[in-house]
Amino acid sequence: GAEGSTLMSYFSKNQIQALKPKITFSTLRDLQCPVLQSNDLQGKPEESCSTEELFEWLGAVLNQVNLDNKSSSFLSTYCCPEPNTVVEKAFLCTITGFIIPEKIIQLLEQLCCYFGEPKLAYWLTLTVHGFADSPVSWRESEHGFHKGGENLYNFVIFRNLDYWLQTAVGAHDDCPP
């Protein structure tokens, strides 16, 4: 109606435009991946990795850190936690932009459907990063972005549809309920 046209007029007059999220796909080849067991959060030596080891490894993969554990100049080294397995192809899809919670739920549901047919993957992840200066906060505390800015959560979904939910919030933020 009239309110919609007034709003559109405001946006166009002030050169404000809607942006679509940017989507990129990449294939990671011969990727060492941690061995995980859905019912074992702590991991067991020589059997499975812990949630903390996975979280650290996933951060390295998402930030394109070289995982070959070779030192180069003064750079730190990192390698995949043990036990691990080499995956011939791993797919990474990155969506950058403002994504509403309903779309995140829809993505999560689609990822769960992936296991509806026999697949080789034992698990997959969905990581959601908030903006460092996000106005969103938990409980009654202001988001402490000026002191850290950590603001993310990660679902690890297993073939049997068990899942882990990992969160990272800043030291000056309240934890989610």
Side-chain angles (χ1 to χ4, degrees):
E3 294 156 354
S5 65
T6 303
L7 188 60
M8 292 306 292
S9 171
Y10 172 81
F11 285 140
S12 61
K13 181 173 67 174
N14 291 294
Q15 299 179 359
I16 297 171
Q17 61 184 5
L19 299 175
K20 293 188 185 263
K22 177 184 170 191
I23 302 173
T24 58
F25 296 95
S26 58
T27 301
L28 307 174
R29 301 211 179 268
D30 300 322
L31 179 67
Q32 284 186 299
C33 294
V35 172
L36 305 176
Q37 298 293 329
S38 65
N39 60 352
D40 190 8
L41 300 173
Q42 303 304 316
K44 290 183 182 149
E46 299 181 24
E47 286 184 33
S48 63
C49 296
S50 70
T51 58
E52 291 89 359
E53 290 172 315
L54 169 74
F55 202 62
E56 183 177 52
W57 172 86
L58 190 59
V61 169
L62 295 176
N63 286 291
Q64 301 174 354
V65 170
N66 190 345
L67 302 175
D68 64 8
N69 198 26
K70 294 179 185 169
S71 62
S72 171
S73 184
F74 291 98
L75 296 178
S76 296
T77 60
Y78 180 80
C79 60
C80 185
E82 294 285 339
N84 60 54
T85 185
V86 175
V87 174
E88 185 180 325
K89 282 194 246 182
F91 299 102
L92 177 62
C93 173
T94 304
I95 304 171
T96 305
F98 183 77
I99 304 166
I100 60 174
E102 292 80 9
K103 289 293 183 186
I104 294 170
I105 292 168
Q106 187 178 15
L107 280 169
L108 189 59
E109 288 170 349
Q110 288 298 311
L111 288 172
C112 289
C113 290
Y114 174 82
F115 293 117
E117 298 175 23
K119 303 287 186 204
L120 297 176
Y122 291 98
W123 53 269
L124 51 84
T125 66
L126 171 66
T127 303
V128 179
H129 288 264
F131 295 104
D133 60 349
S134 172
V136 175
S137 64
W138 299 107
R139 298 193 178 120
E140 302 300 319
S141 294
E142 179 180 339
H143 180 52
F145 77 90
H146 54 284
K147 299 176 185 169
E150 298 84 357
N151 182 10
L152 68 98
Y153 57 93
N154 180 59
F155 281 98
V156 182
I157 306 153
F158 294 91
R159 189 184 280 177
N160 64 1
L161 298 184
D162 283 352
Y163 69 91
W164 296 346
L165 174 59
Q166 301 170 302
T167 60
V169 295
H172 301 281
D173 291 328
D174 276 343
C175 288

